[in-house]
Amino acid sequence: QASPAPRGPQGAAPPLSVAMTPRDEAAAAPAAIASVRDIADEIVVVATGPTDDTAARAAAAGATVVHSPWQDDFAAARNTSLAHCHGDWILVLDADERLAADSHIALRALIATPPAEPTACLVRMRNWTDDLRQDGFEHGAVRLFSRSPKLRFHGRIHEQLSHSDTGEGGIRWRQTPEVIIDHLGYAPAVMTQRGKVDRNLALLAQSIATEPADPAHHHHLGMVYWSTGQFPESLAALTEAIRLSAAVSEPMAFLKVAHTLQIACLVNLQQSAEALDLATACEGLCAAEPDYWFNVGLARQALGQHAAAIAALQRCLAPPTSVPYMAEMGTRTWKPWLRMAQSYAALADPAACLDAQWAALHLHRRLPDVHGRLWAFAVLADDGQRIATADRMWRQLTNDADRARVIEFAWDVLVANDTSVSAQGWADQWLPDLGHGHRLGLVVRQARLAGEAGGPAAQIAVLAAHFAEPGISPYLGQLYVETGDWNAYEALCQTLLTDDRDLAYAHLGIGNLFLRQGDIDGAEAAFRQATALGSDEPNLWNNLGLIALSRRKVAEAEQHFLATVRLDPDHFSANLNLIRTAWFAKDAARATACLATAVASLKSLLEKPYTAPTVAATHDFFALYTYFQRWDLSRHRNAATVVPDGADAFLKALYQAWQVISARQFAKHQA
């Protein structure tokens, strides 16, 4: 039963109703409602989910809420919402969608006049496939139409609007790309959290079982598979959709997309020659679609036909003659330029390659890898104009993470190619403009790269130059430990205590020094002070475990070692120590499991350059091996020895691990 109609001036119907059908979308629905609150005359929410407070939140946000049970049918839910709308026009919105703010003026102009006949508008849907709204695809969708009892949706999923008497033929269709809806539901986190892929596959399976000859169902199935990277499955479903379309009297609107995605599937399956054969066959139908030419360009590029690839990619940039049925974000703007840059590079045309990258960056500012490299090349070429452009574009970025990544990419290029400037000095001038967290990350990265070129001393020099930066101390202290410079390590800790900063780390360091000197009580007191100050350093808990173990407090030691591996699952020493506590508990199976983790961690350490911690780890493992080797000999001499269940399996695993570790050590020494 429809709710009473709100009336406008002189009893006229209101211009715009917004219809929503959220299902357990309490977190998202209020933001969707907020995006239309200033333009909608009424907002009707049909709540189909019983498990959260979507209805309550929607009502609190100003919507009229109608309850209706979910029937595994999106069209049924949509039609329930339409029955409760009273506006001249109806805008359909999902909970994970937002009406773009810059669409309000265009939408107000469009709804100012009541339609004289059933009218449906294809609005522009921007489907974002990442959390930063940088990538995705666009398509036209019927989300705005005149209110009429004859206009209703059909289809269990990917529902379509039609006239109850005349089908699609009884509707006046309009393209209104100036009305934009942002769809956030394709972001990976949302897809996973909401289980949308499994839900959509299940509903499409039901639809195909009911209507196996409907090509639209197979097309939508192909698109779901495409979105999850299942290209063989996508190709098969799209091919079936095209085959079934031949039996339909009216041309199917989705055929351009189906053919284009077929080509894209073949490119992704490294079947580019087959992709080009298909592209030739459907060029007459798809030539106006930018994605068609983009994928043709990718196929040409994969086959090494770079001049032809550039020609195809340039066609993506032609002024549009129509609104594409569906298009990947950027295939009319920046993406072709980036792909052309690759082909220009392959054709040994560095100037054209750089120009193409600059064109892409001007069209899409959030390309940190491109931005950073272009900035560095401009610095190396002493190109003042482009240096200034890169600088200005960098300052216009609003995200500190983006800014830091630009600097990182530029710095990498300067480190690899610098012959005229100091890469370190170049990077330092930008640090003050970054937030603390990103400043710290950049300094640590600089230090690591300096270490790769000049060894630990160069790495220490970079960190020491930024010693005043909060959070640098642990990185600097770790290097002192790895290089065995305990005097510098002690001076660092004392300086931190004097300066009253990084105190948790300072007390941890003092504890390490006490432990090294054999002062167990002093070490424990310092470690306890570090925990009280909130330190979550894994080594702290491991050391507390060692202290407890030295005092025969096995249960307490085990809890400390477990706390260590919770913070760092690959912590070698803690996993080694858990072998000991498991053995004390006569649990050989658990000791074997801990051994596997410890050995994997030690193998990883041995793949890196030798440092003090690596040497200590190999010594600790040798000590463990020696202990159990002696225990094994002893138990054969003494029949009274208690042998835990699974001891033989543990010892076999230990001996095998020792052979592997010894071989790796030998190979490393030989190298």
Side-chain angles (χ1 to χ4, degrees), residues 299-318:
R300 296 283 186 198
Q301 205 168 56
L303 294 171
Q305 302 170 7
H306 291 289
I310 292 170
L313 292 165
Q314 285 174 335
R315 295 196 64 167
C316 299
L317 304 172

Side-chain angles (χ1 to χ4, degrees), residues 84-382:
H84 290 80
C85 291
H86 308 95
D88 289 328
W89 293 90
I90 298 174
L91 176 70
V92 170
L93 198 68
D94 285 340
D96 56 7
E97 297 171 350
R98 315 285 183 261
L99 179 66
D102 54 3
S103 296
H104 285 205
I105 294 175
L107 182 55
R108 282 193 177 96
L110 195 154
I111 65 176
T113 304
E117 57 185 316
T119 303
C121 302
L122 273 78
V123 307
R124 181 179 164 199
M125 300 290 297
R126 295 191 299 205
N127 304 278
W128 301 103
T129 56
D130 69 335
D131 296 325
L132 296 176
R133 298 199 195 183
Q134 288 184 267
D135 211 355
F137 61 95
E138 298 181 345
H139 75 283
V142 181
R143 290 304 192 86
L144 180 67
F145 48 89
S146 58
R147 179 173 61 87
S148 167
K150 299 292 186 180
L151 295 185
R152 289 295 182 264
F153 286 97
H154 68 277
R156 187 184 300 275
I157 186 172
H158 297 294
E159 61 282 4
Q160 302 297 314
L161 190 73
S162 65
H163 193 287
S164 58
D165 295 336
T166 58
E168 293 186 359
I171 303 174
R172 180 193 176 204
W173 298 96
R174 293 178 58 181
Q175 291 195 353
T176 55
E178 67 275 14
V179 177
I180 302 171
I181 293 176
D182 287 308
H183 178 209
L184 313 181
Y186 282 112
V190 178
M191 292 288 285
T192 301
Q193 179 185 2
R194 302 287 300 165
K196 287 190 171 185
V197 172
D198 292 339
R199 179 203 68 187
N200 291 350
L201 288 175
L203 291 175
L204 285 167
Q206 293 179 46
S207 299
I208 290 173
T210 304
E211 300 173 304
D214 188 331
H217 299 326
H218 297 273
H219 170 67
H220 291 306
L221 181 63
M223 291 197 59
V224 173
Y225 283 133
W226 166 261
S227 70
T228 57
Q230 296 173 267
F231 301 119
E233 294 82 356
S234 178
L235 182 61
L238 293 166
T239 301
E240 180 65 3
I242 292 169
R243 185 187 72 80
L244 291 171
S245 295
V248 179
S249 58
E250 295 183 3
M252 305 299 293
F254 63 73
L255 281 177
K256 295 178 182 180
V257 174
H259 282 299
T260 299
L261 288 183
Q262 274 187 310
I263 298 167
C265 283
L266 289 169
V267 171
N268 277 279
L269 292 170
Q270 299 181 352
Q271 299 176 33
S272 294
E274 293 86 344
L276 289 178
D277 289 340
L278 178 59
T280 300
C282 64
E283 181 175 347
L285 176 66
C286 301
E289 301 299 310
D291 285 28
Y292 167 82
W293 290 109
F294 187 72
N295 284 290
V296 169
L298 298 188
R300 296 283 186 198
Q301 205 168 56
L303 294 171
Q305 302 170 7
H306 291 289
I310 292 170
L313 292 165
Q314 285 174 335
R315 295 196 64 167
C316 299
L317 304 172
T321 57
S322 64
V323 177
Y325 183 86
M326 182 172 292
E328 186 178 329
M329 295 282 195
T331 50
R332 283 199 189 278
T333 56
W334 60 278
K335 287 185 179 179
W337 282 113
L338 280 189
R339 282 292 184 169
M340 281 190 279
Q342 294 179 17
S343 285
Y344 283 128
L347 293 171
D349 190 343
C353 177
L354 282 176
D355 287 344
Q357 291 182 72
W358 276 106
L361 184 60
H362 280 292
L363 291 165
H364 190 64
R365 299 298 180 87
R366 293 183 69 176
L367 296 172
D369 56 336
V370 176
H371 191 165
R373 287 197 300 269
L374 290 175
W375 200 349
F377 290 141
V379 170
L380 292 169
D382 197 23

Side-chain angles (χ1 to χ4, degrees), residues 291-543:
D291 285 28
Y292 167 82
W293 290 109
F294 187 72
N295 284 290
V296 169
L298 298 188
R300 296 283 186 198
Q301 205 168 56
L303 294 171
Q305 302 170 7
H306 291 289
I310 292 170
L313 292 165
Q314 285 174 335
R315 295 196 64 167
C316 299
L317 304 172
T321 57
S322 64
V323 177
Y325 183 86
M326 182 172 292
E328 186 178 329
M329 295 282 195
T331 50
R332 283 199 189 278
T333 56
W334 60 278
K335 287 185 179 179
W337 282 113
L338 280 189
R339 282 292 184 169
M340 281 190 279
Q342 294 179 17
S343 285
Y344 283 128
L347 293 171
D349 190 343
C353 177
L354 282 176
D355 287 344
Q357 291 182 72
W358 276 106
L361 184 60
H362 280 292
L363 291 165
H364 190 64
R365 299 298 180 87
R366 293 183 69 176
L367 296 172
D369 56 336
V370 176
H371 191 165
R373 287 197 300 269
L374 290 175
W375 200 349
F377 290 141
V379 170
L380 292 169
D382 197 23
D383 185 337
Q385 182 176 354
R386 282 184 163 170
I387 290 173
T389 300
D391 179 354
R392 184 181 67 256
M393 295 173 74
W394 185 79
R395 295 184 185 281
Q396 290 171 348
L397 292 172
T398 58
N399 186 306
D400 252 9
D402 287 341
R403 285 182 162 202
R405 290 182 65 206
V406 170
I407 298 300
E408 288 171 7
F409 282 112
W411 205 79
D412 286 349
V413 172
L414 291 173
V415 167
N417 298 279
D418 184 17
T419 57
S420 59
V421 298
S422 166
Q424 176 67 49
W426 179 88
D428 281 348
Q429 67 184 308
W430 307 108
L431 291 179
D433 292 318
L434 293 173
H436 160 63
H438 296 291
R439 246 187 357 258
L440 175 63
L442 188 57
V443 170
V444 171
R445 179 183 176 85
Q446 290 175 339
R448 179 178 58 77
L449 291 172
E452 291 175 0
Q459 193 170 356
I460 289 171
V462 172
L463 294 175
H466 294 278
F467 177 64
E469 183 74 35
I472 282 291
S473 306
Y475 296 98
L476 190 56
Q478 179 66 23
L479 278 172
Y480 287 144
V481 171
E482 290 179 0
T483 56
D485 192 344
W486 293 100
N487 290 332
Y489 185 61
E490 182 175 6
L492 169 68
C493 295
Q494 293 296 342
T495 299
L496 293 176
L497 290 174
T498 301
D499 294 348
D500 194 30
R501 63 187 179 94
D502 286 346
L503 292 180
Y505 180 77
H507 285 289
L508 170 64
I510 296 297
N512 288 334
L513 291 165
F514 276 134
L515 198 62
R516 189 167 182 271
Q517 296 164 5
D519 185 348
I520 302 299
D521 292 335
E524 183 176 18
F527 292 145
R528 296 291 182 192
Q529 184 66 25
T531 63
L533 290 167
S535 175
D536 59 357
E537 168 59 43
N539 284 331
L540 182 152
W541 295 100
N542 185 62
N543 287 336

Side-chain angles (χ1 to χ4, degrees), residues 208 319 566 591 599:
I208 290 173
R566 277 195 295 271
V599 169

Side-chain angles (χ1 to χ4, degrees), residues 538-560:
N539 284 331
L540 182 152
W541 295 100
N542 185 62
N543 287 336
L544 283 173
L546 289 172
I547 291 171
L549 201 60
S550 72
R551 293 171 174 161
R552 303 291 180 181
K553 298 178 180 179
V554 178
E556 179 184 334
E558 184 172 47
Q559 291 305 308
H560 291 323

